[in-house]
Amino acid sequence: NAGVIQTPRHKVTGKGQEATLWCEPISGHSAVFWYRQTIVQGLEFLTYFRNQAPIDDSGMPKERFSAQMPNQSHSTLKIQSTQPQDSAVYLCASSLGGNSDYTFGSGTRLLVI
Amino acid sequence: GQQVQQSPASLVLQEGENAELQCNFSTSLNSMQWFYQRPGGSLVSLFYNPSGTKQSGRLTSTTVIKERRSSLHISSSQTTDSGTYLCAMELNSGTYQRFGTGTKLQVVP
């Protein structure tokens, strides 16, 4: 069990460029979550999928951010026209769903310059 | 308001001392989980503990769901215990976990 795999580990983009972050959940886990972590805000929920269907994206910024889960083996978080305030560690987690524990990936550290 | 309150916000211990970290929830919850994070590191699950007491080595977690609280006891602290301890809850209605702001622990020799 390789755990939740996130790629890339680090990403530097120029302001206005697009960034795509990848997450491979643990095999068999039906729920996938995206969080963003900054020193100021702490851990912020962004969105989550259950059985590949988007369930709750209430934490996603209304513009520029989108997430997809085209198959059960991976999810992507895309940020268009990145801004310096998007700099953060983006964390993906998966769980069996329902009343079960979460496993987090190592995160993608995004820096927008 | 903040649904998950953690205390203390920060703590400095001498190696060998014990610590008790608290997590209080402002609403009914379905489950909770304790995580540990080193600076710049990933979140490592310590306990998934919806109720009762669980122990792993020098760590003990006790959750009292009816009272909407959980604690994490660290005994005989070591310098390698330094880092941030986060608790998270999942509401009765399900959806995603909500995190506290964490307790930053520093253990000095």
Side-chain angles (χ1 to χ4, degrees):
Chain A
N1 184 353
V4 177
I5 299 171
Q6 288 190 250
T7 55
R9 289 296 306 274
H10 302 273
K11 186 171 183 66
V12 180
T13 64
K15 182 180 174 181
Q17 290 185 325
E18 182 178 286
T20 299
L21 314 180
W22 291 70
C23 171
E24 182 180 326
I26 290 174
S27 178
H29 280 194
S30 61
V32 173
F33 307 83
W34 284 96
Y35 288 82
R36 175 169 64 180
Q37 187 175 32
T38 60
I39 293 174
V40 174
Q41 298 291 340
L43 267 164
E44 298 176 280
F45 166 78
L46 293 175
T47 187
Y48 97 94
F49 298 85
R50 187 184 300 149
N51 296 320
Q52 298 173 233
I55 301 298
D56 183 347
D57 65 354
S58 58
M60 292 277 272
K62 297 305 177 192
E63 297 176 350
R64 304 187 294 106
F65 282 64
S66 63
Q68 294 183 334
M69 191 160 186
N71 56 59
Q72 63 185 9
S73 65
H74 88 274
S75 174
T76 57
L77 180 67
K78 185 179 291 187
I79 309 172
Q80 294 178 312
S81 186
T82 53
Q83 302 297 310
Q85 60 265 31
D86 299 332
S87 298
V89 177
Y90 289 83
L91 292 162
C92 176
S94 71
S95 79
L96 287 168
N99 193 13
S100 62
D101 59 335
Y102 286 27
T103 300
F104 277 85
S106 298
T108 294
R109 188 175 295 274
L110 176 67
L111 178 62
V112 182
I113 56 176
Chain B
Q2 189 73 18
Q3 291 179 302
V4 185
Q5 299 279 0
Q6 285 193 247
S7 61
S10 62
L11 183 62
V12 179
L13 296 176
Q14 285 282 349
E15 199 168 21
E17 290 183 325
N18 301 331
E20 184 99 352
L21 312 182
Q22 300 289 341
C23 195
N24 290 282
F25 312 106
S26 62
T27 186
S28 298
L29 66 156
N30 199 35
S31 65
M32 69 81 54
Q33 193 168 355
W34 282 97
F35 295 90
Y36 167 73
Q37 187 176 36
R38 282 192 184 280
S42 56
L43 284 156
V44 175
S45 177
L46 297 174
F47 293 103
Y48 175 73
N49 188 9
S51 65
T53 297
K54 292 189 176 182
Q55 184 175 3
S56 175
R58 297 180 294 103
L59 302 180
T60 303
S61 168
T62 300
T63 298
V64 185
I65 279 285
K66 287 183 183 177
E67 296 179 12
R68 301 178 184 175
R69 61 177 174 85
S70 182
S71 64
L72 179 68
H73 184 84
I74 304 173
S75 62
S76 303
S77 61
Q78 301 176 359
T79 55
T80 50
D81 295 332
S82 297
T84 300
Y85 292 80
L86 292 144
C87 65
M89 60 172 278
E90 187 175 275
L91 297 179
N92 276 338
S93 56
T95 71
Y96 57 92
Q97 283 189 348
R98 291 149 174 80
F99 283 79
T101 50
T103 293
K104 193 170 183 179
L105 174 67
Q106 185 182 5
V107 182
V108 297

